[in-house]
Amino acid sequence: MSLKEPAILIVDDNEDNRYTLTRRLKREGYWNLVEAHDGHEALERLAHTPFDLVLLDIMMPGMNGFETLESMKSDMALRDIPVIMISAVDEVESVVRCIELGAEDHLPKPFNAALLRARISASLEKKRLRDQQESYLRQIEIEKNRVDELLHATLPNAAVHELKSTNTVRPRRFEDVVVLFCDVVGFTQYCDRHAPEEVVSHLQEMVNTCEQITARYGLEKIKTIGDAYMATAGLLHYVENPADASVSAGLEMISAVKNLEASWDLRVGIHIGPVVAGVIGSKQFVFDLWGDTVNVASRIVAESEPSNVLVSAPVWRLIQGRFRGKSMGQVELKGKGALELVQCK
């Protein structure tokens, strides 16, 4: 509703009544006035023009005030427009019926200037407040959706559901979780040779691609750390073959990212084992994993060759027969000791 120029529709079959109302309303400062001579014309105008108030005569030929009011209140696009009924002083029962049908108020004929001013002003104020409330509610809904988007961008879906339900995400220990790390080969040197805008744009494109592949194989993205991308399988929701899904996702990530504009080589490291998972932070939520499994997976990716998926022996035992592999023998992982690693194809 416009605070400066509210739109008012005057519906009356009597031309003198319409003229009298129009003249008096203009004296009160209302200039955006439209006339209709019966209910059919009123509904036609309402269908094409937004109005803030309708002054509706009860007794009209063709489509009378009752029928017009009922039609407006049954139309979801029109039902909230306030309607003031115009009636003769001896039509009290008709006025009561109109109020029961949803009319805002009534104006008796002949028109009293003070009463006209008061009832139109009150109805327009109610409309303004309703519009304001609806605007606030829409804004709240927009902000709520924005918060939901941010939560889903920060936390896995299951964690978001638990946070909404309980206002917290309880830390848990999970067994047999597959942890996948991938990172860009030569990323530091690439940053030195390219503009920051180009680096961030290409990194965003890579992450988007990895997220799509992650979702397609049922993995869950945990976070990005610089140029590294971390995901899990079998953590917060069931994946039938988490090790198979992770290796397949890793191989597809390498192929897909190589075909992007930056033509980056990825290397992937995968391990399986127990992890502790939970949410930390109070102003900025971060869902994260801790434990030896995570540390080993991060060490494995550092040992991987460009464009290769390197998995630990425990992962290989779960996928052998469905992937080709080449043992790299016992590889000394920094701070973790020796572990057999296998290149997958």
Side-chain angles (χ1 to χ4, degrees):
M1 173 181 165
S2 171
L3 295 177
K4 294 183 179 179
E5 196 71 27
I8 301 175
L9 177 63
I10 301 169
V11 188
D12 197 315
D13 65 306
N14 188 300
E15 185 177 355
D16 290 339
N17 288 341
R18 296 199 304 272
Y19 173 78
T20 301
L21 269 175
T22 299
R23 186 179 62 181
R24 292 190 177 181
L25 287 172
K26 286 181 178 179
R27 287 178 184 172
E28 299 298 331
Y30 302 112
W31 291 88
N32 190 1
L33 307 174
V34 178
E35 298 180 16
H37 69 272
D38 64 13
H40 291 295
E41 185 181 358
L43 293 176
E44 180 68 20
R45 292 188 180 281
L46 285 164
H48 297 92
T49 306
F51 287 95
D52 300 301
L53 177 64
V54 176
L55 303 179
L56 179 62
D57 186 30
I58 293 178
M59 303 307 296
M60 295 183 295
M63 189 175 195
N64 62 32
F66 297 124
E67 295 166 331
T68 306
L69 181 61
E70 285 183 311
S71 181
M72 287 182 64
K73 295 305 176 182
S74 65
D75 189 328
M76 297 302 293
L78 304 178
R79 65 185 305 173
D80 292 329
I81 300 174
V83 178
I84 296 179
M85 305 306 297
I86 301 171
S87 67
V89 291
D90 60 350
E91 293 176 334
V92 176
E93 291 185 4
S94 297
V95 171
V96 171
R97 180 182 171 190
C98 290
I99 297 298
E100 291 174 345
L101 289 173
E104 190 79 27
D105 207 333
H106 81 282
L107 279 171
K109 301 175 187 176
F111 304 115
N112 177 278
L115 194 59
L116 175 70
R117 182 189 314 113
R119 291 187 172 170
I120 288 181
S121 177
S123 294
L124 288 173
E125 178 63 12
K126 288 180 183 178
K127 175 67 162 54
R128 185 188 70 80
L129 292 174
R130 278 197 296 267
D131 289 349
Q132 188 178 66
Q133 182 184 42
E134 289 176 5
S135 176
Y136 289 156
L137 290 175
R138 285 193 297 269
Q139 188 61 37
I140 289 171
E141 188 63 26
I142 290 171
E143 294 300 326
K144 178 179 175 294
N145 291 337
R146 188 174 298 163
V147 170
D148 282 348
E149 290 174 2
L150 289 172
L151 280 175
H152 282 286
T154 306
L155 308 177
N157 289 338
V160 172
H161 178 74
E162 183 178 348
L163 183 64
K164 288 183 176 181
S165 301
T166 66
N167 205 34
T168 187
V169 179
R170 184 169 58 88
R172 295 181 179 87
R173 179 181 176 86
F174 297 84
E175 303 295 332
D176 300 323
V177 175
V178 180
V179 178
L180 175 151
F181 276 95
C182 73
D183 63 19
V184 178
V185 178
F187 184 74
T188 300
Q189 294 83 349
Y190 186 90
C191 290
D192 293 338
R193 298 193 306 268
H194 294 79
E197 295 82 3
E198 187 177 2
V199 173
V200 173
S201 174
H202 290 165
L203 192 59
Q204 181 65 54
E205 188 179 26
M206 183 205 85
V207 171
N208 289 344
T209 300
C210 291
E211 286 177 343
Q212 293 169 8
I213 295 170
T214 295
R216 189 158 60 249
Y217 283 96
L219 278 67
E220 298 160 318
K221 173 192 171 183
I222 302 301
K223 61 182 177 180
T224 57
I225 314 156
D227 65 311
Y229 181 91
M230 178 184 179
T232 61
L235 179 65
L236 296 178
H237 63 255
Y238 174 76
V239 179
E240 187 173 356
N241 295 301
D244 285 34
S246 298
V247 173
S248 297
L251 290 169
E252 188 169 329
M253 286 177 187
I254 291 170
S255 176
V257 170
K258 191 173 293 185
N259 290 321
L260 298 179
E261 184 179 352
S263 301
W264 282 335
D265 274 332
L266 293 186
R267 54 187 180 187
V268 177
I270 301 174
H271 187 43
I272 187 171
V275 300
V276 172
V279 173
I280 58 174
S282 56
K283 294 184 178 179
Q284 291 183 325
F285 294 116
V286 176
F287 182 82
D288 212 343
L289 306 183
W290 301 272
D292 196 58
T293 302
V294 178
N295 294 331
V296 171
S298 68
R299 301 292 195 278
I300 292 174
V301 72
E303 299 294 333
S304 180
E305 295 294 325
S307 301
N308 275 283
V309 174
L310 192 62
V311 305
S312 63
V315 173
W316 175 251
R317 286 193 290 269
L318 296 171
I319 65 171
Q320 60 185 341
R322 293 181 294 280
F323 295 88
R324 290 186 297 152
K326 176 183 177 182
S327 176
M328 307 304 293
Q330 296 290 322
V331 177
E332 192 72 26
L333 300 179
K334 183 179 178 180
K336 298 298 174 185
L339 179 67
E340 184 181 9
L341 303 180
V342 180
Q343 277 188 358
C344 296
K345 297 181 179 179

